[in-house]
Amino acid sequence: MTLNTKAVVAVLVVAVIVVAGIGYYALSNGGGGGDDPSTGDGVTDCHLWVYGNVNGDDYIDQNDIDLLERIIAGEAEEVLIVAYDGYSATGVSQKISLADANMDGVLDEKDVQYIRDTISYMERYSAAVNNGTLDSFDEEFTLHYNNCDNVASTVHLPVKTLVSMYFSNSEIVRLLGAVDRVVATDDTTLAKPTLLPEFQGLQNLGDRKAVNSEAVLATGADAYFTGSASTYSEYLEKDVGDSVDIIRLSAWEDNNVMVGALTLGYILGCTEKAYEYIDWCNEYIDLIAERTSGLTDRMTVISPKGRVSDSSTLLEGNGRGSGQFEINELAGADDISDRFSATSEYPNYTQEGILSYDVDAIVISGYCGWEYDTDDVGLRVHDVIDKVYYTYDGATATSEGRVYFIANELYTGPSNIVAMVYVATWLYPDLFDDLDGLQVFKEYIEKFCPGLSYYDLEAHIDQFVYGPDSTRE
């Protein structure tokens, strides 16, 4: 997978929408380059939700300046985002213009100059990061963005020190190459010494959902990287926001990990690595989309939670907004979890419903993986699979042997593209006989997890996935 060679230019005002499903609605045919985004209606995915990203691609560059000047002159119309507010299956949408680069409510030459200043600053900031001279880079700039709760927020650049809360957030920090800036973390990160060895020994701020505000202040960090206020310490902005920038971005939800990674890449000046990750993800997403585009009858699938302590029912699922649902859909499946609840990320399945819908495949989102060993596979993988066969007896999935397992920490977070590849190859083996989930997993580790080069993935793969080629004693 090759790194995009287009010049990496960054922005200062980021409007990140990392919540329950987002769409870019433009009076446009989308895209940058030579496209004219003012000549038609269209919807285009975009991973960089930024004020100043006027044409809706993943870059801030001269194309945005050119289009903005045409908008100001009345020769083109604005690009609009339709964003969803809240981590739920039915978010509340609102439209946000990307053209008002300085967020003053007026489109004028000040916005044009703001974009020029943004490009110039981010080039210098990213260069300082790449050259190892960030410590002496003291030029300041302010970045405004919409966080994962669709709340306008501010971060002051450069960010030299950081708190990273939740292990999936810490994975993103690592893939961006910014672990050396982290001064404190949470208990979930420190509970994963195999997955995140680089973070061990850092100060532990404890529970990400109820962190002590004074302890956050005492770290002296420039910024605090976390998730939605609905789950993670909603009082922080009020308590410490004047001293520490609270950065709320998605690290697992709704398949918006790529948006979170690219946005944090801009905030940290790590654009080169952020684009490498985005390009790597897109290559597999596009490949699967192309090959499944002609399917007239997609495989139906559900993803129950595979907790070891559950009874044999295992009827709690992962619906729209969970991350697993979105990965299944990207893999070409028809995830029917939202038929059980249109409003919950975690619907309760019913045995009658599963039999009525006659689900084709079941992909368990289970609890094994990095911090376990081969001796744990029997209890955490095989026994859970057996319970699912019992619970869903009579469904097509169980009668035809299409019950699979993916470790939850692989199914969500920045490695979720690996899970997508596994699901696609399991459901449509004839379409993807040249694609190997294990090799993609190895590639992810090699490119984005430098601290895991020692790990013997092949010897431990049964802790992460159970598919058609898996064996059990």
Side-chain angles (χ1 to χ4, degrees), residues 132-402:
T133 58
L134 180 61
D135 286 346
S136 60
F137 182 79
D138 295 323
E139 184 180 348
E140 297 180 354
F141 235 118
T142 301
L143 178 152
H144 307 286
Y145 65 101
N146 275 1
N147 70 15
C148 64
D149 295 318
N150 205 12
V151 175
S153 305
T154 297
V155 61
H156 300 87
L157 305 183
V159 173
K160 296 185 180 182
T161 54
L162 181 71
V163 173
S164 178
M165 300 293 279
Y166 195 52
F167 76 90
S168 292
N169 296 59
S170 297
E171 285 187 83
I172 290 180
V173 172
R174 177 175 61 189
L175 75 82
L176 293 173
V179 175
D180 60 341
R181 294 189 228 179
V182 180
V183 296
T185 188
D186 77 315
D187 51 8
T188 68
T189 297
L190 295 176
K192 294 188 177 294
T194 304
L195 173 61
L196 295 165
E198 306 94 332
F199 291 80
Q200 304 310 303
L202 289 172
Q203 179 184 352
N204 184 2
L205 294 182
D207 185 355
R208 69 196 183 280
K209 299 179 181 180
V211 70
N212 182 282
S213 297
E214 292 184 2
V216 173
L217 278 176
T219 66
D222 295 330
Y224 179 101
F225 176 36
T226 186
S228 170
S230 65
T231 305
Y232 303 145
S233 303
E234 74 282 355
Y235 46 82
L236 283 175
E237 283 84 352
K238 179 180 178 181
D239 286 0
V240 304
D242 290 341
S243 303
V244 182
D245 289 329
I246 309 301
I247 302 170
R248 297 187 183 276
L249 298 173
S250 173
W252 56 270
E253 304 88 347
D254 313 319
N255 193 44
N256 283 320
V257 178
M258 294 164 66
V259 178
L262 184 55
T263 301
L264 190 66
Y266 273 79
I267 290 172
L268 299 181
C270 300
T271 51
E272 184 174 332
K273 202 64 182 179
Y275 279 119
E276 182 182 356
Y277 175 71
I278 296 300
D279 291 344
W280 180 81
C281 293
N282 277 334
E283 188 147 358
Y284 287 113
I285 290 171
D286 293 346
L287 173 66
I288 290 172
E290 179 183 358
R291 294 190 187 180
T292 59
S293 62
L295 293 174
T296 56
D297 188 17
R298 294 177 181 265
M299 299 281 282
T300 57
V301 66
I302 59 170
S303 291
K305 295 178 181 294
R307 292 193 178 96
V308 175
S309 59
D310 281 354
S311 68
S312 60
T313 55
L314 293 166
L315 290 173
E316 184 181 3
N318 290 285
R320 190 180 300 276
S322 64
Q324 289 93 332
F325 180 99
E326 287 75 22
I327 286 298
N328 291 339
E329 295 271 305
L330 280 177
D334 175 13
D335 194 315
I336 63 171
S337 299
D338 56 352
R339 300 184 193 178
F340 293 87
S341 174
T343 59
S344 174
E345 290 175 90
Y346 305 110
N348 290 318
Y349 302 137
T350 64
Q351 292 168 312
E352 297 79 7
I354 295 300
L355 293 176
S356 173
Y357 294 132
D358 199 20
V359 63
D360 294 316
I362 298 172
V363 186
I364 303 163
S365 180
Y367 296 86
C368 201
W370 288 104
E371 305 311 318
Y372 298 94
D373 211 331
T374 53
D375 293 340
D376 298 304
V377 171
L379 174 65
R380 294 188 165 274
V381 181
H382 298 161
D383 285 2
V384 172
I385 289 172
D386 290 343
K387 291 177 182 178
V388 168
Y389 269 101
Y390 174 81
T391 301
Y392 300 114
D393 183 42
T396 297
T398 54
S399 62
E400 297 186 5
R402 286 192 292 270

Side-chain angles (χ1 to χ4, degrees), residues 423-436:
V423 173
T425 57
W426 292 342
L427 299 186
Y428 307 110
D430 293 341
L431 294 180
F432 300 106
D433 57 356
D434 59 338
L435 198 55
D436 184 346

Side-chain angles (χ1 to χ4, degrees), residues 419-455:
M420 178 194 68
V421 169
Y422 271 113
V423 173
T425 57
W426 292 342
L427 299 186
Y428 307 110
D430 293 341
L431 294 180
F432 300 106
D433 57 356
D434 59 338
L435 198 55
D436 184 346
L438 176 60
Q439 294 308 312
V440 176
F441 199 172
K442 288 180 176 179
E443 192 176 85
Y444 171 77
I445 291 175
E446 179 182 350
K447 287 178 176 291
F448 306 114
C449 308
L452 299 182
S453 58
Y454 73 94
Y455 191 77

